[in-house]
Amino acid sequence: MASVAVKARVTGRVQGVAFRAWARAEAMRHGLTGWVRNEPDGSVRALLIGPSASVADMVRRMGRGPGAASVKDVLTEKTDPDPEIRGFSIVG
């Protein structure tokens, strides 16, 4: 099955609410690879790589986030999958 890759930018109250740890656990549960990080502007950015349906489901889940989060928006853009990335990491 071919992999797709999406860069996502999540805005709202998404820092200081364990969003990155939650996203890593959810991504790993869905068999995705990539990374998640906090941005200086208060948003969270992620790279999600995996089967199309799994990536789409993860984007939907990021729209809700963990219980303490208050997600305003999830903006996505397609990108090329990076076959060198292994696992799912919290970076930065």
Side-chain angles (χ1 to χ4, degrees), residues 68-80:
S70 178
V71 177
K72 179 179 177 185
D73 202 5
V74 180
L75 304 172
T76 62
E77 65 179 277
K78 291 184 179 182
T79 189
D80 293 324

Side-chain angles (χ1 to χ4, degrees), residues 47-69:
L47 173 63
L48 310 169
I49 305 169
S52 180
S54 296
V55 169
D57 187 48
M58 182 65 188
V59 170
R60 280 191 296 277
R61 289 176 180 277
M62 290 177 88
R64 291 186 301 274

Side-chain angles (χ1 to χ4, degrees), residues 7-11 39 41 43-46 62 73-76:
K7 288 183 180 176
R9 181 175 176 263
V10 186
T11 60
E39 293 293 317
D41 67 0
S43 68
V44 169
R45 186 167 299 270
M62 290 177 88
D73 202 5
V74 180
L75 304 172
T76 62

Side-chain angles (χ1 to χ4, degrees), residues 6-19:
V6 169
K7 288 183 180 176
R9 181 175 176 263
V10 186
T11 60
R13 191 173 63 134
V14 294
Q15 290 190 16
V17 294
F19 196 99

